[in-house]
Amino acid sequence: MTAPTPPQREIRALHTDTTVTVYQAYPPALGLPAARDGCFPSAWKRDRMTWIKPSFLWMMYRCGWATKEGQETVLAVEITREGFDWALSNAELSHYEQGVHPDHAAWQRTLRSAPARVQWDPERDLHLNRLPYRSLQLGLAGEAARRYADEWTVSVRDVTPLAREIHELARAGRDDEAARLLPGETPYPAPSYGLSPAALPSAG
């Protein structure tokens, strides 16, 4: 029996009652100290926008299985659900959508002041092919970026070896074995955030 296709926009993540795991990729000079110390070092730029991804496979697509320059170290960052929810509730869509925003200028004003932004990108399979539904990227800037690095982070793990192992199995055609190693991402029980309808997890 074929499994039903997930909703077009849905947050799927590895999560517990108190935390959510998101993924980022960095050069080893930054990623390895973060994993070693379990927190972001002072060299991590807290005044720049940073994008976090609850989808492991979308992260693999973005970093090329940890082969792209500057993205050789993949981190699994466990953050508080309280922080994740705060970012979502204070986010704006990363793009203008007619019928959702009053007009382009109004969207731009909101976007400039929002500490977080939501973007929905096509989810990927083990071979990084596009799937017919989308996965969340959450951009954090200003207050959100600082709180992410210094308040919300619970743990930081280097999952580069896991990424490489899954990639090798997928390349060898051993998809079932590769899939068993993937993080157990399930729908995130998100409340109805103060986002526009297009930004909500259940939006079509």
Side-chain angles (χ1 to χ4, degrees):
M1 185 175 178
T2 304
T5 301
Q8 178 66 209
R9 290 170 174 167
E10 177 183 61
I11 300 174
R12 293 171 298 278
L14 177 64
H15 56 87
T16 70
D17 288 343
T18 57
T19 65
V20 181
T21 297
V22 297
Y23 301 94
Q24 295 191 292
Y26 290 103
L30 197 153
L32 294 178
R36 180 193 65 215
D37 299 333
C39 60
F40 288 101
S42 58
W44 193 87
K45 297 185 186 303
R46 287 154 173 80
D47 58 346
R48 293 178 58 182
M49 174 163 283
T50 189
W51 289 88
I52 58 176
K53 305 158 185 68
S55 167
F56 180 84
L57 285 175
W58 204 94
M59 183 72 258
M60 295 305 101
Y61 167 72
R62 182 68 181 84
C63 71
W65 296 101
T67 62
K68 292 184 180 179
E69 184 177 359
Q71 300 185 61
E72 301 92 344
T73 304
V74 181
L75 300 179
V77 184
E78 192 177 19
I79 65 174
T80 64
R81 281 178 64 158
E82 181 181 5
F84 188 68
D85 289 351
W86 183 91
L88 285 170
S89 66
N90 287 278
E92 176 56 274
L93 278 173
S94 62
H95 60 280
Y96 169 73
E97 286 199 11
Q98 189 174 10
V100 171
H101 303 100
D103 53 52
H104 195 272
W107 164 75
Q108 285 189 316
R109 285 194 298 272
T110 305
L111 187 67
R112 280 195 295 269
S113 62
R117 59 187 60 180
V118 163
Q119 184 167 309
W120 297 100
D121 295 292
E123 182 60 288
R124 304 285 162 164
D125 65 14
L126 274 168
H127 301 280
L128 307 186
N129 299 310
R130 289 170 63 120
L131 291 171
Y133 50 91
R134 292 180 177 264
S135 186
L136 174 76
Q137 269 203 93
L138 187 59
L140 307 175
E143 179 185 0
R146 292 189 294 272
R147 294 180 69 177
Y148 167 67
D150 299 325
E151 297 178 24
W152 303 342
T153 298
V154 175
S155 69
V156 182
R157 293 180 295 114
D158 180 0
V159 292
T160 313
L162 174 64
R164 290 174 177 157
E165 183 178 4
I166 293 173
H167 186 208
E168 287 304 312
L169 288 170
R171 289 180 62 190
R174 297 159 64 183
D175 288 13
D176 289 346
E177 293 174 66
R180 283 195 288 272
L181 296 179
L182 290 173
E185 295 167 8
T186 56
Y188 182 72
S192 294
Y193 304 108
L195 301 174
S196 64
L200 290 171
S202 59

